[in-house]
Amino acid sequence: MKSNLLDFDAHALTGYFTEMGEKPFRARQLMRWIYKEGEHDFSAMTDIAAALRDKLAQCACVAAPNIMREELSGDGTRKWLLDVGTGNAVEAVYIPEETRGTLCVSTQAGCALDCAFCSTGKQGFNRNLSVAEIIGQLWWANQQLGKDADGNWKISNVVLMGMGEPLLNFDNTVSALRLMLDDHAYGLSRRRVTVSTSGIVPAMDRLREECPVALAVSLHAPNDKLRDTLMPVNRKYPLKALLAACGRYLERAPRDFITFEYVLLDGVNDSLQQARELVQLVREVSCKFNLIPFNPFPQTHYRCSGQDAVCRFRDVLMEAGIVTTTRKTRGDDIAAACGQLAGLVQDKTRRTAQHFAEVS
Ligand code: SAH
Ligand code: SF4
């Protein structure tokens, strides 16, 4: 079987060439072609000797996952559904904004952590994505979106907030992160790459040591009692341990705050009292809050909090001096929220067939 070069970070690719009896600098050369130029055809890599190009064509390839469907929302949000084999699909979503373009990337097919409000969780865990399947989402999206007038890829930021728990697919996630950061690959700054975690405490410590990037932590409740019911992972890593890990992470983090994500669920975690409890809970951690409107999906009984509740909740945090943003829903018309498109495809409902055009 051919080696997929998207599976190798700089260190692994150097090893690959050394084993082939080639000079280590070939790895940097190849990376520049693959990631900076978006090239997958070895015969087009003109500054590489013809003999090596032939050898690579025989034993290697540059293969991102196949695209099953593509959807474009009225607000410019684009979503790709990627086929990762054996009936599994994952998604990548591009969100354009005035000053940046953000790609939301998946790290697992499904998720084992079963958060009560999450459609990915409802699908159960299928498998970890390979490095090629993670970095391949960025590679593919860059191909599709192209470069801006200055010759830079339009994607300036990456968030690991798609399907799956990145820190439970640690090694592959870190190799993909290294490619995002590597100057010979995408060269993104650590501040522009964000890992979102449900709070896998030992892996947060490892990430801090091995590859500190911006960190978002899914909080969603102001106390263990409620968080235990919304996020079963809390029973293993309760809030006290999680907040201590956030403090340790900040010692090495590229930004001087942790972003706490908080999905507002009507009548569940959105009261004034809970907002005040939350302020107390996080008082020792330098943080910002991102309040996320709940995205409903077919098998859920939760509802999105009303506009008034959202504003009141936000005001309590802001009055306590915590910078708080309220995420706009984007790409509603294409089910762009976490896990939704893949869920629909697995349902194989008529709605899916009507809703999405095959990418030819
Ligand atoms: N597993 C990681 C990253 C993927 S989920 C994590 O949990 O952080 C990315 C974010 O989407 C998380 O904050 C998650 O809580 C949120 N999310 C999950 N389901 C959602 C829904 N139905 N509506 C809105 N946000 C949701
Ligand atoms: Fe997994 Fe994150 Fe969904 Fe929880 S919210 S089930 S950790 S993907």
Side-chain angles (χ1 to χ4, degrees):
M1 215 171 86
K2 290 185 174 183
S3 303
N4 187 354
L5 300 191
L6 293 182
D7 267 323
F8 300 144
D9 60 15
H11 181 74
L13 196 60
T14 307
Y16 178 77
F17 279 107
T18 314
E19 241 171 61
M20 263 176 130
E22 297 287 339
K23 294 267 183 332
F25 78 88
R26 294 289 179 207
R28 294 197 296 276
Q29 238 177 344
L30 248 290
M31 280 169 66
R32 298 188 81 85
W33 277 110
I34 296 170
Y35 300 106
K36 295 225 180 287
E37 304 300 327
E39 189 54 73
H40 69 281
D41 179 357
F42 297 118
S43 67
M45 301 180 180
T46 44
D47 59 356
I48 294 175
L52 178 55
R53 281 189 261 158
D54 287 348
K55 200 154 118 191
L56 283 170
Q58 275 165 28
C59 61
C61 61
V62 177
N66 287 327
I67 303 303
M68 292 165 76
R69 301 174 198 282
E70 177 181 35
E71 267 296 299
L72 179 60
S73 160
D75 65 11
T77 302
R78 280 170 83 155
K79 175 159 185 156
W80 295 278
L81 190 72
L82 304 113
D83 181 3
V84 292
T86 56
N88 290 316
V90 297
E91 14 180 271
V93 181
Y94 174 68
I95 303 142
E97 287 169 293
E98 245 166 59
T99 54
R100 62 185 175 190
T102 304
L103 188 73
C104 177
V105 166
S106 296
T107 53
Q108 298 182 313
C111 181
L113 295 180
D114 199 23
C115 298
F117 48 81
C118 174
S119 80
T120 304
K122 296 288 155 245
Q123 291 161 41
F125 175 68
N126 292 307
R127 68 172 175 81
N128 281 331
L129 298 189
S130 65
V131 182
E133 287 165 339
I134 301 172
I135 202 68
Q137 297 170 52
L138 181 54
W139 189 88
W140 168 262
N142 274 329
Q143 298 304 103
Q144 293 301 296
L145 298 164
K147 294 186 172 176
D148 63 17
D150 300 326
N152 298 317
W153 295 120
K154 287 186 186 151
I155 296 170
S156 59
N157 294 58
V158 177
V159 293
L160 271 52
M161 289 184 190
M163 298 171 73
E165 169 51 55
L167 297 187
L168 290 182
N169 181 13
F170 191 88
D171 292 345
N172 292 348
T173 293
V174 165
S175 290
L177 289 174
R178 289 200 169 117
L179 286 166
M180 293 172 199
L181 303 175
D182 197 307
D183 280 340
H184 300 292
Y186 291 119
L188 297 175
S189 97
R190 289 179 189 278
R191 303 160 59 92
R192 289 178 174 268
V193 177
T194 303
V195 166
S196 172
T197 181
S198 57
I200 311 296
V201 166
M204 289 165 67
D205 287 330
R206 251 186 100 187
L207 188 69
R208 179 195 63 179
E209 294 304 315
E210 293 185 28
C211 193
V213 291
L215 189 68
V217 173
S218 296
L219 217 46
H220 308 323
N223 57 54
D224 283 323
K225 189 161 175 264
L226 180 59
R227 200 165 186 269
D228 278 350
T229 67
L230 295 177
M231 304 180 73
V233 70
N234 193 67
R235 292 180 211 143
K236 192 155 184 196
Y237 305 115
L239 284 166
K240 192 161 179 258
L242 177 57
L243 293 169
C246 290
R248 293 194 294 276
Y249 195 87
L250 280 167
E251 293 162 13
R252 293 271 183 93
R255 315 191 78 142
D256 56 6
F257 59 89
I258 303 278
T259 303
F260 286 127
E261 296 161 278
Y262 197 100
V263 173
L264 285 163
L265 305 166
D266 184 31
V268 175
N269 66 355
D270 64 347
S271 75
L272 276 182
Q273 176 53 34
Q274 286 162 323
R276 291 188 196 111
E277 204 181 343
L278 198 56
V279 167
Q280 286 308 309
L281 179 76
V282 302
R283 66 181 184 280
E284 278 170 20
V285 180
S286 162
C287 65
K288 292 188 181 177
F289 262 83
N290 192 359
L291 300 179
I292 308 172
F294 172 63
N295 263 298
F297 52 93
Q299 314 84 352
T300 185
H301 62 277
Y302 291 114
R303 278 164 300 145
C304 188
S305 301
Q307 203 49 49
D308 283 359
V310 174
C311 289
R312 282 199 306 266
F313 200 93
R314 185 198 56 203
D315 289 348
V316 172
L317 298 182
M318 301 266 273
E319 276 158 26
I322 302 173
V323 175
T324 306
T325 52
T326 312
R327 189 187 290 174
K328 284 184 289 213
T329 35
R330 296 287 302 259
D332 266 359
D333 48 339
I334 58 167
C338 174
Q340 292 193 351
L341 182 55
L344 286 175
V345 168
Q346 281 174 356
D347 288 348
K348 303 239 184 325
T349 56
R350 274 187 61 225
R351 185 173 158 232
T352 314
Q354 287 165 0
H355 212 73
F356 304 105
E358 293 287 339
V359 177
S360 52

